Amino acid sequence: MNDEIMERYQQLLISYLSDRKEDQLYEAQQMSKWMIEQKIPPEEMVSMHAEAVKGHLPEDVQHSFDLLIEMMIGYGTALREHESLLNRQRELEYEIEVAVGMQQTLLPDAPPDTPDLDIGVVSVPAQRMSGDYYNFVNHGGGCIGVALSDIIGKGIPAALCMSMIKYAMDQMDNSSGPSEILRRLNIVVERNVDPSMFITMIYGVYDTHRHHFQYAAAGHEPGLLYRDREGDFEDLNTGGLVLGVAEGIAYEEFGLDLAPGDTVILFSDGVTEARIDGHFLGREPLKKLIRSNLHLPAQEAVEAIQQDLYERVNYRLKDDQTILLLRRPKVVD
């Protein structure tokens, strides 16, 4: 503490003890703010006060400041540690914001716009960063690839896995079928992802000319097929190990033809496992919810379904939720 500050404080203290005016208290507040900005520890502030009142107080009271100063040393150390933690937290918050922004760039801006297929997708993270990933791939010849993945994990590690999957998919030959794409992704994940993390995925290719959907799955939540003529749902056949568990995995392919109005609905397990009144939503209630919104265009339908779920769980998601809908348009007379 330099002499100039010490002299200023002594004058302020003497002035206040003499007059006790509000403007003197205000000046003390401003001085305190300045000293905090200068990172002057609290024990030095107490020491300055003890020096200023020396000779004006009984000896015992003056000695009491020695005890107070020792206490302030511990307090000051704790305060500096707290400030250090706050600074580190701000750095982490900034890093997370950057990661969130990067993660958003990995997702498509919008579904492909084609008159032969009505597509809708909505993805809502339970926290700031999502473990769900979806993508659309142009396979050429009127064929559109769709991928939906659930990374068993959260935060920055999940985002890193997501970027790796997108990069791997971008490097693949788009002439490959769903099973081959999953086989290659499995190799990438098995070699590069920590064994404690698992990735499920369903990958399908929709032929807009033949209205045929060919797909394969790696441990992902089975999707649904809504048959418009029958007005009923079918569970999609799925199977296969999650990505990254073992090498040399072959994934079985399944195919189905869609009539006008038929709809494929894919989703992550955060949808069926949404907690409502202490119980999982389950597939049957989900079918009812989907049915009540199928009259809407695909994008409006998935948004309405997710919003209904969000309200049912009291606006508190336990897991990420992604819903992807593919509908063959009805023939317009």
Side-chain angles (χ1 to χ4, degrees), residues 199-253:
I199 302 173
T200 72
M201 176 177 280
I202 184 166
Y203 192 95
V205 178
Y206 190 96
D207 187 329
T208 59
H209 298 314
R210 298 190 300 124
H211 293 288
H212 181 81
F213 186 62
Q214 195 79 11
Y215 68 94
H220 196 79
E221 176 84 13
L224 295 168
L225 169 65
Y226 178 77
R227 293 293 188 185
D228 185 65
R229 177 174 295 180
E230 292 80 6
D232 205 359
F233 289 92
E234 299 175 11
D235 292 331
L236 296 187
N237 292 317
T238 55
L241 289 175
V242 298
L243 299 176
V245 171
E247 292 184 280
I249 303 298
Y251 294 92
E252 184 178 1
E253 277 192 15

Side-chain angles (χ1 to χ4, degrees), residues 20-305:
R20 298 185 183 179
K21 294 181 179 179
E22 288 293 328
D23 58 340
Q24 294 160 343
L25 291 175
Y26 176 75
E27 185 179 351
Q29 292 176 3
Q30 298 304 111
M31 189 175 184
S32 174
K33 291 179 182 178
W34 180 85
M35 295 176 75
I36 292 173
E37 291 173 356
Q38 300 303 309
K39 300 188 183 301
I40 296 175
E43 64 268 22
E44 288 193 25
M45 298 173 71
V46 174
S47 178
M48 179 179 65
H49 182 81
E51 185 67 24
V53 299
K54 185 180 293 185
H56 298 281
L57 295 174
E59 187 175 353
D60 288 345
V61 176
Q62 292 184 42
H63 288 319
S64 71
F65 281 103
D66 296 336
L67 181 63
L68 181 58
I69 290 170
E70 291 300 319
M71 293 179 64
M72 287 297 100
I73 291 174
Y75 178 83
T77 301
L79 181 61
R80 287 189 289 274
E81 291 177 352
H82 177 69
E83 290 177 346
S84 177
L85 289 174
L86 284 178
N87 290 333
R88 180 54 182 156
Q89 183 178 5
R90 293 189 191 100
E91 293 174 2
L92 290 174
E93 288 289 329
Y94 174 75
E95 291 174 1
I96 291 172
E97 285 298 328
V98 172
V100 169
M102 291 179 60
Q103 187 179 54
Q104 289 301 313
T105 65
L106 301 176
L107 301 174
D109 294 330
D113 186 10
T114 169
D116 300 311
L117 183 63
D118 190 12
I119 307 175
V121 63
V122 62
S123 186
V124 180
Q127 301 174 11
R128 294 171 67 183
M129 302 189 70
S130 177
D132 286 358
Y133 172 70
Y134 66 89
N135 197 11
F136 301 100
V137 180
N138 184 1
H139 281 255
C143 293
I144 299 173
V146 294
L148 178 55
S149 177
D150 187 354
I151 301 167
I152 312 303
K154 295 290 183 291
I156 294 178
L160 292 173
C161 284
M162 185 183 296
S163 63
M164 180 191 64
I165 291 173
K166 183 180 187 304
Y167 178 78
M169 291 181 65
D170 289 344
Q171 305 307 310
M172 288 186 185
D173 182 0
N174 289 344
S175 64
S176 302
S179 61
E180 177 62 13
I181 287 175
L182 289 186
R183 186 189 72 81
R184 294 181 182 179
L185 283 175
N186 180 65
I187 294 173
V188 173
V189 174
E190 197 275 332
R191 291 177 179 176
N192 297 281
V193 175
D194 189 275
S196 63
M197 297 189 71
F198 301 99
I199 302 173
T200 72
M201 176 177 280
I202 184 166
Y203 192 95
V205 178
Y206 190 96
D207 187 329
T208 59
H209 298 314
R210 298 190 300 124
H211 293 288
H212 181 81
F213 186 62
Q214 195 79 11
Y215 68 94
H220 196 79
E221 176 84 13
L224 295 168
L225 169 65
Y226 178 77
R227 293 293 188 185
D228 185 65
R229 177 174 295 180
E230 292 80 6
D232 205 359
F233 289 92
E234 299 175 11
D235 292 331
L236 296 187
N237 292 317
T238 55
L241 289 175
V242 298
L243 299 176
V245 171
E247 292 184 280
I249 303 298
Y251 294 92
E252 184 178 1
E253 277 192 15
F254 304 92
L256 50 92
D257 296 310
L258 274 71
D262 287 354
T263 305
V264 173
I265 307 100
L266 308 177
F267 42 88
S268 58
D269 60 9
V271 174
T272 52
E273 294 179 3
R275 285 272 186 177
I276 300 175
D277 297 327
H279 302 283
F280 287 142
L281 172 69
R283 296 177 69 83
E284 292 306 315
L286 175 61
K287 292 176 184 178
K288 293 180 181 178
L289 179 56
I290 293 172
R291 186 193 300 274
S292 65
N293 290 286
L294 281 178
H295 64 285
L296 298 171
Q299 186 59 42
E300 293 181 21
V302 294
E303 291 174 0
I305 293 166

Side-chain angles (χ1 to χ4, degrees), residues 1-15:
M1 192 78 63
N2 62 46
D3 294 339
E4 182 180 348
I5 298 174
M6 183 66 196
E7 183 179 353
R8 179 184 170 190
Y9 183 75
Q10 284 180 326
Q11 291 175 352
L12 177 61
L13 177 61
I14 294 171
S15 176

